[in-house]
Amino acid sequence: MAPHTQQLTRPAVRLRGLTRSFEGRTVLDGLDLDLPAGQFTALLGHSGSGKSTLLRAIAGIDHGVAGSGTLTAPERVSVVFQDSRLLPWRRVLPNVLLGLDGKDAEERGRAALAEVGLAGRERAWPSELSGGEAQRGALARSLVREPELLLADEPFGALDALTRIKMHGLLRQLWERHRPSVLLVTHDVDEAIVLADRVLVLSRGRIAVDLAVERERGSHGEYRAELLHALGVTDAGAAAPGPPLRP
């Protein structure tokens, strides 16, 4: 058995009976979910379906929300948000190294920036970066910590279409190189299919669809039609062929 196949046999995240409520409204309702170590998973759902709530619960940052259930997750978890959240008063390299120490910290930070295509931008201010560059910086800040689990909450939602395509390729390459478990929250069905090996649809507080994306066998159009149907989209163009499965 290949090492990566062995890795997928053990869960990085295990949720049992996870419930989260806001002001008496149940958002997650007894949700069960396993995320295997090393798997790239995308999470789809309508606005307000609880996607970000689930991500924050896994990250341990949903303080103040009424909830119950059991959660097992790795110690090393990084989160990437829709905006880069780079501190404007720190240059790029200090932003990447925020909270990181050790003799080799700067070397690791420079290597992470080079890996995301920002070599030579270490002393730039965040205000000098484009939107895509800022998100590359956010990815570098996450990866320099060598996370076992990377949680991404619509990290490309604010980018233009061409920049999004470039970032898709970069994220997939970084995942293939480092193999953390990834949970990507997105509204974009095509983004989910292109990037992930497994796509979940969250509805009424539970996982309504659990779809394996087989890149060598499946059709983008078929996956797209199935996911759009699960999301309640039934227009005639739903099954139209999409872009290749590889970004």
Side-chain angles (χ1 to χ4, degrees):
M1 183 182 292
H4 181 49
T5 304
Q6 290 178 331
Q7 189 181 27
L8 288 177
T9 62
R10 61 183 178 86
V13 174
R14 172 165 287 179
L15 304 175
R16 292 294 181 269
L18 188 71
T19 299
R20 289 292 186 271
S21 301
F22 295 93
E23 299 180 351
R25 183 175 72 90
T26 299
V27 179
L28 302 178
D29 185 13
L31 186 146
D32 295 336
L33 177 64
D34 287 341
L35 298 178
Q39 187 178 72
F40 197 128
T41 304
L43 180 65
L44 293 167
H46 292 290
S47 295
S49 63
K51 301 186 301 299
S52 295
T53 299
L54 176 56
L55 184 142
R56 288 196 298 269
I58 295 173
I61 55 175
D62 65 343
H63 308 297
V65 178
S68 62
T70 61
L71 164 64
T72 302
E75 289 186 8
R76 300 196 309 275
V77 179
S78 290
V79 185
V80 181
F81 297 96
Q82 184 170 343
D83 56 72
S84 68
R85 304 203 176 186
L86 298 178
L87 300 177
W89 57 87
R90 287 177 178 261
R91 296 181 188 271
V92 169
L93 182 58
N95 259 292
V96 169
L97 297 178
L98 191 66
L100 197 66
D101 52 23
K103 294 181 179 179
D104 64 341
E106 183 171 333
E107 181 181 349
R108 288 167 56 191
R110 290 180 180 275
L113 285 169
E115 197 170 17
V116 300
L118 289 181
R121 303 288 278 163
E122 294 86 354
R123 290 191 53 77
W125 295 103
S127 61
E128 297 173 332
L129 303 180
S130 67
E133 287 175 330
Q135 284 302 83
R136 287 171 183 264
L139 280 175
R141 183 175 56 194
S142 296
L143 292 172
V144 77
R145 287 157 177 77
E146 300 177 357
E148 299 168 88
L149 174 64
L150 177 63
L151 302 171
D153 194 359
E154 298 192 67
F156 312 132
L159 303 179
D160 64 82
L162 292 178
T163 303
R164 282 170 68 98
I165 292 172
K166 293 178 181 178
M167 294 299 292
H168 289 168
L170 174 63
L171 180 56
R172 182 80 190 186
Q173 290 167 14
L174 292 171
W175 171 75
E176 289 176 344
R177 193 174 302 149
H178 295 278
R179 290 292 181 179
S181 304
V182 176
L183 180 61
L184 170 72
V185 168
T186 179
H187 280 99
D188 189 328
V189 169
D190 293 312
E191 179 173 88
I193 298 169
V194 166
L195 286 175
D197 297 308
R198 178 189 185 194
V199 182
L200 308 174
V201 176
L202 185 62
S203 178
R204 297 182 179 179
R206 296 191 178 185
I207 302 301
V209 173
D210 189 338
L211 178 67
V213 178
E214 299 183 30
R215 298 178 183 280
E216 302 305 322
R217 299 181 183 178
S219 161
H220 185 109
E222 292 172 357
Y223 290 134
R224 187 172 188 269
E226 182 173 347
L227 291 168
L228 287 174
H229 178 74
L231 292 165
V233 179
T234 56
D235 64 285
L245 288 179
R246 283 283 181 184

